Amino acid sequence: MLDNISIVLVNPSHPGNIGSTARAMKTMGLSQLCLVAPDDFPSGTATALASGADDILRNAKVCETLDEALADCQFVVGTSARVRGVSLPLVDPRSCAQSIVQEASNNKVALIFGREDSGLSNEQLRRCHLQVHIPTNEDFSSLNLGAAVQVLSYEIRMAELINKDALELPTPKAHELASMDDMERYYDHLYSVLMEIGFLDHSSHEKIMAKMRRLYGRVRPDQVELGILRGILSETQRCLASGGGTQKITE
Ligand code: SAH
């Protein structure tokens, strides 16, 4: 499905940006790059900046005109650093990516980027069905071309993963949370130890124990964590009974 999405750079002036674009695309699983009248391509600088995504550069389609690049596409999205008075629906990257992913299941989609110094012309934007603007600082709105490709490629990847319900990041192994009964036994144990070491006295114990309950209530320890806490308390009692710590260094 992602193969139906082309990233089109219109008249890019800097070969480094072509390389960064290839890298940005490959990290996000996109592979179809199209260059319209690039100033300098192929180029060692592009290959260097691609950092291993040279297959994308090798397979890039090079066209002379934007119309040639868009000829077999059914859905075209234009990108713009500025929100200009073009009568096109303007969307943010997230909803743009949703539309792109939806369209790409049946259609060929082009996402077009403008030249570094001038962006897309109004004439070029008129070719688009949708315009996307990355909501940057209004006083400094223009991203580097490769960075703009990265942001939009990332959103496309996220939209695709969410669509496939495949957004599964490894999560740490979860243990069952401690039960109310475990917690009550822990509070009893904690209370005894805090009394034994003289931290609690009869005037303060209610307030402090209530605060401890609030603290552990926020944390909601699991059974393994509670086992460690119980172990610390038991060890504290063992040290008290034997009259000191095991690690005490004596001269
Ligand atoms: N000087 C141009 C900016 C060109 S930046 C201007 O002011 O319009 C080169 C390209 O990067 C833009 O044509 C667009 O494709 C992309 N780009 C940069 N910043 C962007 C932004 N905030 N939102 C969407 N695309 C952006």
Side-chain angles (χ1 to χ4, degrees):
M1 194 277 295
L2 292 184
D3 288 347
N4 277 342
I5 302 169
S6 302
I7 299 294
V8 180
L9 302 187
V10 181
N11 198 204
S13 61
H14 197 299
N17 283 333
I18 301 177
S20 308
T21 292
R23 182 179 186 176
M25 288 171 61
K26 191 163 179 173
T27 51
M28 297 298 140
L30 295 169
S31 59
Q32 308 299 309
L33 174 62
C34 179
L35 305 169
V36 178
D39 283 2
D40 183 4
F41 185 79
S43 139
T45 311
T47 308
L49 270 287
S51 289
D54 0 4
D55 51 328
I56 298 208
L57 297 180
R58 266 197 311 279
N59 297 329
K61 182 169 140 193
V62 181
C63 299
E64 281 184 14
T65 63
L66 179 60
D67 284 337
E68 189 188 335
L70 301 180
D72 65 344
C73 294
Q74 286 100 354
F75 188 66
V76 181
V77 179
T79 55
S80 179
R82 281 172 292 152
V83 187
R84 282 181 274 200
V86 175
S87 52
L88 268 181
L90 180 70
V91 290
D92 64 63
R94 204 145 291 177
S95 53
C96 167
Q98 275 167 6
S99 308
I100 288 179
V101 165
Q102 242 170 31
E103 288 282 340
S105 57
N106 302 312
N107 296 316
K108 285 205 176 298
V109 178
L111 180 57
I112 67 177
F113 293 81
R115 186 178 168 84
E116 292 88 336
D117 53 1
S118 50
L120 292 171
S121 67
N122 285 343
E123 177 64 23
Q124 289 162 340
L125 281 171
R126 273 195 279 276
R127 298 273 185 288
C128 304
H129 297 95
L130 205 62
Q131 186 181 346
V132 56
H133 169 71
I134 302 165
T136 38
N137 178 354
E138 282 162 28
D139 303 325
F140 196 74
S141 65
S142 171
L143 273 94
N144 161 269
L145 176 55
V149 172
Q150 184 76 76
V151 170
L152 290 165
S153 304
Y154 166 73
E155 290 293 348
I156 291 171
R157 182 169 183 78
M158 285 296 284
E160 201 235 355
L161 290 177
I162 290 169
N163 218 21
K164 286 199 315 200
D165 212 5
L167 195 61
E168 260 181 37
L169 297 174
T171 44
K173 189 170 176 278
H175 297 285
E176 208 174 308
L177 294 183
S179 67
M180 294 306 281
D181 186 47
D182 294 333
M183 288 311 297
E184 286 310 315
R185 282 188 292 128
Y186 174 71
Y187 292 133
D188 287 346
H189 198 169
L190 181 65
Y191 175 83
S192 315
V193 173
L194 294 182
M195 277 295 195
E196 281 169 47
I197 64 174
F199 184 80
L200 288 184
D201 59 39
H202 287 286
S203 62
S204 65
H205 71 103
E206 270 183 23
K207 266 191 187 158
I208 289 187
M209 285 311 292
K211 284 195 186 342
M212 296 310 279
R213 279 174 180 271
R214 203 172 61 185
L215 168 67
Y216 287 106
R218 275 204 308 273
V219 174
R220 298 181 67 203
D222 65 34
Q223 288 177 349
V224 172
E225 291 162 340
L226 197 68
I228 295 170
L229 292 170
R230 290 290 299 267
I232 293 171
L233 295 180
S234 301
E235 196 59 19
T236 307
Q237 285 175 313
R238 204 189 59 74
C239 282
L240 287 175
S242 66
T246 49
Q247 299 297 316
K248 232 180 207 170
I249 298 166
T250 45
E251 287 186 28

